[in-house]
């Protein structure tokens, strides 16, 4: 069993205490996470602050080259990262699992490396010249979740580095090992202190968000934790990018073909076993095709193998941790008790690990917890409706506003209704298909700011206006 180390200032740093990291498929220990102390955190921030003095002045083309080099390192170590990710997170190597995630991390890194933020000329006439320059902020703190730990780490780290900042990242204590290894390989091509990793329990994350030496927080996780991050950042007026929870609505119009949309609906809901912020979490289906959609989804779900992530035949794996496993079970049990019709699944699988089957629950409505709350797991409520305007209004009553989708044979009609959904991203006849050139972020209680593309890169800069 390997003991992992903190990594800051370009070197591995051992700690006095460690915590076990377990495989959610088996319960076996796969490694030990170092438990950082407040003194370790201070040293990591100091290393990042020192590195910022030089990294912020490195020419743009050299920072681009460094990000390209990071991408090559990810590619060269992809299978190792995928294997480690599967061990600690549980997602299968195949399907939309660990190899898919490493491929996504690589794609985002390569795209971000090529972004530019040129000087904007706001005025240039006989009255004067006004230029808008974008400058790096300073030390950026990243706190990442357990669902897509490697890819989200790249979403946070690479644009920060590309813009000239330095980083201290704290991964979830449930999935820290792949992030530690990612930072180690990044440091093979970056100057010491540009990217640093601290691990430990949630108290270290709280210390990061209140630390005097951190200039910006970027956080992906639950809305409740995001509120705490925001509150603790107030004293130092840190800049914030918060990508928080979602309860995404998908609306199926009466002209949709159930057989044609079943696969897209399924993966919109169950990518990463439903453990995705922008997964489809509430499915509204018009009464005229309600039963055919239920039938098509159930038939598709029955064909998806669920098993240990290291089994090459598995397409979906376990829920990542006991807390989330118990929440999914509780929400499904509550839906059943309130009249929900279980189409498939509905009870834990009889095997070791946090295995809960793909579960479809029909005949539920608002007021049932599975509809009102974010389940973040392999359970989908299917809600019947008759009036499209009414269902749009009902979908918008939820305080979350991350993503949404509309499904129809008429793309123009779908777009018309999609634009009425209160969410940061909306899809037509698909759901959750994010891409590195399209800004992504939430409205309402799903976050502040955006990620990806030039708009996301701007989040890691401050503006300086030069007037002459």
């Amino acid at each position: 069993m390997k003991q992992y180390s903190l990594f800051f200032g370009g070197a591995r740093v051992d700690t006095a205490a460690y915590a076990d990291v377990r495989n959610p498929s088996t319960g076996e220990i796969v490694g030990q996470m170092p438990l950082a102390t407040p003194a370790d955190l201070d040293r990591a921030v100091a290393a990042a602050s020192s590195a910022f003095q030089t990294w912020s002045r490195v020419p743009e083309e050299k920072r681009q080259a460094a990000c390209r080099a990071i991408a090559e390192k990810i590619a060269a170590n992809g299978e190792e990262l995928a294997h480690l990710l599967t061990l600690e997170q549980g997602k299968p190597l195949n399907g939309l699992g660990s190899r898919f995630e490493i491929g996504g991390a690589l794609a985002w890194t390569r795209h971000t490396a090529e972004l530019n933020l040129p000087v904007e000329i706001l005025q240039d006439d006989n009255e004067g010249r006004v230029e808008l320059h974008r400058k790096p902020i300073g030390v950026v703190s990243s706190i990442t979740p357990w669902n897509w730990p490697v890819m989200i780490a790249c979403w946070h780290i690479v644009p920060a580095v590309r813009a000239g900042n330095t980083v201290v990242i704290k991964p979830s204590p449930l999935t820290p090992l792949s992030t530690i290894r990612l930072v180690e390989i990044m440091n093979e091509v970056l100057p010491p202190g540009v990217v640093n990793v601290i691990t430990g329990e949630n108290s270290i994350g709280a210390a990061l968000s209140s630390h005097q030496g951190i200039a910006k927080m970027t956080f992906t996780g639950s809305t409740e934790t995001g509120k705490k991050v925001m509150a603790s950042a107030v004293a130092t007026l840190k800049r914030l990018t918060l990508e928080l929870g979602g309860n995404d609505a998908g609306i199926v119009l009466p002209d949709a073909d159930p057989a044609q949309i079943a696969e897209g609906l399924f993966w919109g809901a169950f990518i990463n076993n439903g453990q995705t912020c922008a997964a489809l979490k509430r499915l509204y289906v018009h009464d005229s095709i309600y039963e055919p959609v239920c039938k098509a989804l159930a038939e598709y779900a029955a064909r998806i193998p669920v098993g240990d992530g290291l089994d090459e035949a598995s397409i979906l794996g376990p829920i990542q941790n006991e807390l989330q496993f118990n929440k999914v079970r509780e929400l499904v049990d509550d839906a059943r008790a309130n009249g929900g019709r279980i189409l498939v699944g509905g009870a834990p699988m009889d095997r070791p690990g946090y295995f809960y089957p793909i579960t479809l629950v029909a005949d539920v409505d608002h007021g049932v917890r599975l509809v009102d709350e974010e389940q973040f797991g392999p359970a989908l409520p299917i809600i019947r409706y008759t009036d499209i305007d009414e269902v749009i209004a009902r979908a918008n009553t939820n305080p979350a506003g991350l993503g949404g989708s509309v499904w129809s044979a008429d793309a123009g009609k779908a777009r018309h209704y999609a634009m009425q959904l209160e969410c940061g991203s909306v899809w037509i006849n698909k759901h959750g298909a994010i891409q590195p050139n399209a800004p992504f972020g939430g409205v309402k209680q799903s976050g502040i700011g955006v990620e990806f593309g030039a708009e996301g890169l701007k989040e890691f800069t401050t503006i300086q206006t030069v007037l002459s």
Side-chain angles (χ1 to χ4, degrees):
M1 179 179 54
K2 181 178 178 180
Q3 284 187 337
Y4 286 73
S5 302
L6 308 176
F7 200 104
F8 53 78
R12 292 180 176 85
V13 179
D14 292 327
T15 57
Y18 294 82
D20 294 336
V21 178
R22 296 183 180 273
N23 184 337
S25 289
T26 64
E28 295 175 354
I29 299 171
V30 297
Q32 289 192 314
M33 169 185 71
L35 295 175
T37 64
D40 292 323
L41 174 58
D42 288 341
R43 292 168 61 199
V45 174
S49 181
S50 177
F52 178 74
Q53 302 309 312
T54 52
W55 184 248
S56 60
R57 294 175 172 82
V58 167
E60 291 283 310
E61 60 272 15
K62 289 189 177 181
R63 295 205 297 257
Q64 280 189 312
C67 291
R68 293 187 193 109
I70 289 172
E72 294 313 306
K73 282 292 180 180
I74 293 171
N77 293 273
E79 192 63 19
E80 176 196 356
L81 288 169
H83 186 84
L84 185 55
L85 178 57
T86 289
L87 285 175
E88 65 177 352
Q89 205 281 338
K91 66 182 65 182
L93 290 166
N94 287 330
L96 302 179
S98 291
R99 291 179 180 129
F100 172 82
E101 178 171 345
I102 301 305
L106 182 59
W108 257 266
T109 299
R110 284 176 169 161
H111 181 82
T112 304
E114 304 309 319
L115 294 174
N116 286 292
L117 294 177
V119 175
E120 297 179 42
I121 310 302
L122 305 183
Q123 179 182 330
D124 190 10
D125 55 27
N126 58 4
E127 295 183 358
R129 180 179 173 92
V130 180
E131 300 173 348
L132 187 154
H133 294 251
R134 291 193 173 271
K135 303 175 69 174
I137 300 170
V139 179
V140 172
S141 172
S142 159
I143 299 180
T144 52
W146 48 259
N147 57 337
W148 297 92
V150 173
M151 186 158 64
I152 293 177
C154 288
W155 292 354
H156 290 188
I157 293 172
V158 179
V161 168
R162 172 66 191 85
N165 304 284
T166 56
V167 178
V168 178
I169 185 171
K170 185 231 174 257
S172 165
L174 297 170
T175 55
L177 308 182
S178 54
T179 304
I180 292 173
R181 182 61 186 137
L182 176 69
V183 170
E184 287 177 349
I185 66 174
M186 285 181 172
N187 271 269
E188 293 174 9
V189 295
L190 290 173
V194 173
V195 178
N196 312 273
V197 61
I198 287 284
T199 60
E201 300 302 336
N202 292 332
S203 58
I204 286 293
L208 261 177
S209 59
S210 61
H211 200 286
Q212 294 280 344
I214 300 294
K216 174 183 170 66
M217 290 293 304
T218 180
F219 170 80
T220 300
S222 72
T223 297
E224 290 309 308
T225 304
K227 291 176 182 178
K228 293 176 183 177
V229 169
M230 189 173 184
S232 63
V234 165
T236 52
L237 289 179
K238 289 178 175 60
R239 285 158 176 79
L240 295 169
T241 299
L242 305 176
E243 193 268 279
L244 307 179
N247 196 346
D248 290 15
I251 299 175
V252 180
L253 300 186
D255 63 356
D257 182 339
Q260 191 173 52
I261 65 174
E263 181 177 5
L265 287 172
F266 179 89
W267 288 114
F270 295 108
I271 184 173
N272 201 33
N273 218 16
Q275 300 168 124
T276 298
C277 291
L280 197 167
K281 299 191 173 85
R282 296 175 287 153
L283 180 60
Y284 298 86
V285 181
H286 192 270
D287 178 68
S288 64
I289 57 169
Y290 185 82
E291 293 301 339
V293 168
C294 287
K295 182 174 183 291
L297 269 174
E299 289 175 350
Y300 189 88
R303 302 199 296 268
I304 304 300
V306 178
D308 190 310
L310 294 178
D311 184 342
E312 296 278 355
S314 297
I315 299 300
L316 291 177
I319 295 175
Q320 200 283 324
N321 59 81
E322 183 179 16
L323 183 66
Q324 200 62 38
F325 176 84
N326 288 336
K327 179 175 184 180
V328 171
R329 179 169 56 182
E330 182 181 315
L331 292 183
V332 172
D333 289 348
D334 177 76
R336 182 191 289 109
N338 282 281
R341 172 167 48 112
I342 307 297
L343 302 177
V344 293
M349 298 172 72
D350 186 17
R351 58 176 295 170
Y354 301 124
F355 284 94
Y356 200 95
I358 299 158
T359 298
L360 299 170
V361 185
D363 301 343
V364 286
D365 206 339
H366 289 225
V368 173
R369 291 181 61 200
L370 185 61
V371 176
D372 296 347
E373 300 177 25
E374 181 183 24
Q375 66 274 50
F376 216 72
L380 178 68
I382 309 175
I383 305 144
R384 190 188 305 261
Y385 79 91
T386 55
D387 182 270
I388 180 61
D389 293 318
E390 180 184 2
V391 80
I392 292 279
R394 297 187 78 206
N396 285 338
T397 60
N398 196 276
L402 193 57
S405 58
V406 178
W407 305 71
S408 171
D410 184 335
K413 183 190 297 183
R415 184 179 299 274
H416 167 76
Y417 290 116
M419 293 292 292
Q420 298 177 40
L421 289 173
E422 295 171 357
C423 51
S425 297
V426 67
W427 294 275
I428 309 299
N429 291 326
K430 55 186 176 181
H431 194 106
I434 57 175
Q435 53 194 65
N437 64 336
F440 175 72
V443 300
K444 300 195 289 188
Q445 293 190 29
S446 286
I448 295 172
V450 297
E451 299 177 288
F452 313 161
E455 294 303 316
L457 185 59
K458 290 175 184 177
E459 298 265 340
F460 292 93
T461 66
T462 57
I463 289 173
Q464 185 172 58
T465 305
V466 178
L467 303 95
S468 59

